[in-house]
Amino acid sequence: MTIRIVIIGSGPTAIGAALRLRELQLEGDLDIEVTLLEKEKVVGGLASSVTDQRGFTWDLGVHVMGATKYKEFEKTTAEAVGQWNEIPRCVKANMKHIIQANDPLDNYVPYPVQDSIPYFPDHEKECCLSDLENLESTSSAPAKNFSEFSEQVFGITLRDIFIQPYNEKVWTVPLKELSCVWVEGRVPKPNWQELTKRCRLTISTLHEQEEQKPKTVFRYPATLRGVGAMWKKIAYKLPKGWIQLEKAVASIDAEEKLVLLVGLGIRRPQPEVTENWSWVYFPQPDIIFYRCTFISNFNESLTPNAAVFWSVVCEIGMDSDAEVVEEEAVEKTIQGLKTAGILYENNTIVSKWFCALPYGYPIPTINRDYELAKCQPVFEKKGIFSRGRFGSWKYESANQDHSFTMGREVVDRIFMNKPEKLN
């Protein structure tokens, strides 16, 4: 009997599932009819890319490749990409609300912020160290939410000056409403004794030590225009009749976070210090975006002419029912970049790209796992297997390699009776 399978969407999870189905079909294990429905004109979902009329290419978010333990993902992406740019990871956080330097570019500290306490002014530095020292000798009950977790791991001062304002800007909900399950075991506890030693060093010595540290490297396609082009090439491996573009499926209403993306194509010069930066985090409420990514630093072909232009993409978190005014969001982004020292007053902006994503990140609310345990069995009894960044609603396993592997694993579970490791 021919088994009919419908895959909704064409992001990494959907493509991973479709490729695995194709493998099983070619091996003779399955007699299947597959339909992949995608409402947009191109495949890729939230991992797709857009090239605007000015010739600037924008990824829908920040999609870079780090080290992965998923061999099929590594093999599949390597075949599609061919040549990679290997980029040293250089991430900063803007702490102007406590450092208050005359030069805006002196307000940045290396990320993660908990390791950059030695860069803080004396008062904040002493408060953070005192908090961490007290935590060394204090035992606490297990944290019930992300606010309690932050206080127990980072201390009250660091929670108040960065962890809370930044995360509430990203997630758009109070920390008390967020679970801490998604972050437990993923965030190292600050080393109080090591930080105390480093706090005796001068800022210039700290910068020298930072420069000498071995850098983590991430990869980005070298010859393709954006990560979306990679997923297009991967999807070409599927039979043509499987993918149906511009075919919308009725959606399910839910509480989601709205993400706005503002991309700016800029005529050079670019501040020299930012030419090696990957992205920067902004906890301040007076700056509209929570992250700015220097996307043209990843691949020269993402601008029409790398000798003349550079580009950034900024992410803004908003409530799903918030009114969005494109012109206002773009203008506030430009002003925020100028305040942060990233844009010069005389920089010419040649391209303004705006995109509102109704889905950005699945919010890990306190009752998330309980609700998932209830709804997933109901879906599966009806032959619906909900996987992927939003299908599984797990931020901690929503990267491209996770999502791609999740799609493969659910196919093996359904048809080969193999247990899933990710879901």
Side-chain angles (χ1 to χ4, degrees):
M1 183 180 71
T2 300
I3 302 171
R4 188 174 183 217
I5 300 161
V6 177
I7 300 174
I8 300 174
S10 68
T13 306
I15 292 176
L19 288 175
R20 183 60 181 143
L21 287 168
R22 180 58 172 165
E23 290 170 9
L24 293 175
Q25 184 185 53
L26 293 174
E27 291 166 7
D29 293 326
L30 287 181
D31 179 9
I32 54 175
E33 177 186 325
V34 178
T35 303
L36 189 153
L37 301 174
E38 169 56 58
K39 69 175 182 177
E40 304 295 343
K41 296 179 180 180
V42 296
V43 300
L46 288 177
S48 58
S49 304
V50 175
T51 299
D52 66 21
Q53 293 180 342
R54 298 277 187 172
F56 290 86
T57 297
W58 313 101
D59 289 341
L60 300 188
V62 180
H63 298 298
V64 297
M65 309 288 181
T68 180
K69 63 181 180 181
Y70 303 110
K71 299 303 179 185
E72 284 299 327
F73 174 82
E74 188 171 32
K75 175 186 172 184
T76 302
T77 54
E79 289 175 353
V81 172
Q83 183 180 351
W84 296 94
N85 284 337
E86 294 195 346
I87 303 164
R89 188 179 189 271
C90 183
V91 179
K92 306 288 183 179
N94 185 293
M95 300 299 290
K96 74 179 180 72
H97 54 300
I98 63 167
I99 297 177
Q100 299 178 350
N102 291 328
D103 183 345
L105 293 175
D106 288 337
N107 289 316
Y108 293 92
V109 301
Y111 188 84
V113 172
Q114 61 265 32
D115 290 341
S116 289
I117 291 171
Y119 292 85
F120 291 0
D122 289 343
H123 175 70
E124 287 79 4
K125 189 188 304 183
E126 291 168 6
C127 290
C128 286
L129 291 177
S130 176
D131 291 345
L132 294 173
E133 183 180 12
N134 291 334
L135 289 174
E136 289 283 320
S137 57
T138 304
S139 58
S140 304
K144 298 190 292 291
N145 55 54
F146 191 28
S147 180
E148 291 185 5
F149 172 87
S150 300
E151 183 177 336
Q152 292 175 13
V153 173
F154 305 114
I156 294 175
T157 305
L158 192 56
R159 182 198 65 183
D160 290 349
I161 64 176
F162 182 79
I163 305 297
Q164 181 168 336
Y166 175 73
N167 279 279
E168 290 186 351
K169 200 172 175 183
V170 174
W171 299 110
T172 72
V173 297
L175 293 197
K176 291 181 179 179
E177 295 181 18
L178 291 174
S179 163
C180 56
V181 174
W182 61 281
V183 76
E184 287 176 337
R186 303 177 75 214
V187 177
K189 192 171 183 178
N191 186 320
W192 165 69
Q193 293 179 330
E194 180 62 29
L195 285 169
T196 300
K197 292 178 185 177
R198 292 179 59 228
C199 281
R200 301 189 186 107
L201 302 176
T202 64
I203 295 296
S204 60
T205 302
L206 290 169
H207 283 306
E208 288 174 8
Q209 290 185 350
E210 186 67 24
E211 288 299 317
Q212 293 168 4
K213 279 184 181 179
K215 294 289 192 295
T216 302
V217 173
F218 65 80
R219 298 180 301 166
Y220 194 87
T223 59
L224 301 178
R225 299 199 70 177
V227 168
M230 177 189 77
W231 289 108
K232 283 184 184 179
K233 289 190 70 174
I234 293 171
Y236 289 154
K237 299 171 69 174
L238 298 171
K240 289 184 178 180
W242 283 21
I243 300 176
Q244 296 188 26
L245 301 175
E246 298 184 86
K247 300 291 184 183
V249 177
S251 62
I252 300 171
D253 290 335
E255 292 184 10
E256 289 123 9
K257 168 182 179 290
L258 181 68
V259 171
L260 306 182
L261 301 177
V262 176
L264 299 175
I266 309 150
R267 187 177 293 276
R268 292 192 180 277
Q270 175 180 357
E272 184 177 355
V273 68
T274 70
E275 291 180 356
N276 294 320
W277 287 5
S278 306
W279 53 84
V280 177
Y281 299 114
F282 292 87
Q284 298 86 2
D286 59 321
I287 292 181
I288 190 173
F289 47 87
Y290 59 81
R291 176 163 64 171
C292 171
T293 298
F294 299 83
I295 192 166
S296 58
N297 289 353
F298 299 171
N299 180 338
E300 291 184 349
S301 66
L302 299 183
T303 69
N305 184 338
V308 179
F309 304 109
W310 59 291
S311 58
V312 296
V313 62
C314 298
E315 296 165 80
I316 305 166
M318 298 187 70
D319 293 329
S320 57
D321 57 353
E323 181 182 359
V324 178
V325 180
E326 178 179 341
E327 294 79 7
E328 181 180 331
V330 172
E331 184 56 33
K332 285 184 176 181
T333 298
I334 293 170
Q335 291 305 315
L337 290 171
K338 289 180 178 179
T339 299
I342 292 172
L343 271 184
Y344 296 131
E345 285 293 336
N346 61 350
N347 272 136
T348 300
I349 298 171
V350 298
S351 177
K352 298 176 183 179
W353 175 75
F354 178 85
C355 179
L357 296 176
Y359 307 97
Y361 300 112
I363 301 176
T365 50
I366 291 174
N367 63 343
R368 180 199 68 177
D369 289 356
Y370 172 75
E371 296 296 339
L372 288 174
K374 288 196 305 182
C375 70
Q376 292 287 21
V378 174
F379 290 154
E380 293 184 9
K381 283 181 181 179
K382 299 178 180 294
I384 300 171
F385 294 83
S386 186
R387 298 293 184 270
R389 171 174 280 194
F390 288 95
S392 293
W393 205 265
K394 290 188 177 180
Y395 169 78
E396 63 270 32
S397 56
N399 288 339
Q400 293 179 96
D401 56 347
H402 290 122
S403 299
F404 179 84
T405 304
M406 204 181 296
R408 294 182 61 87
E409 285 188 353
V410 73
V411 169
D412 281 342
R413 176 191 155 194
I414 297 168
F415 296 106
M416 309 299 288
N417 201 28
K418 292 182 179 179
E420 292 177 87
K421 297 176 183 177
L422 284 168
N423 59 43

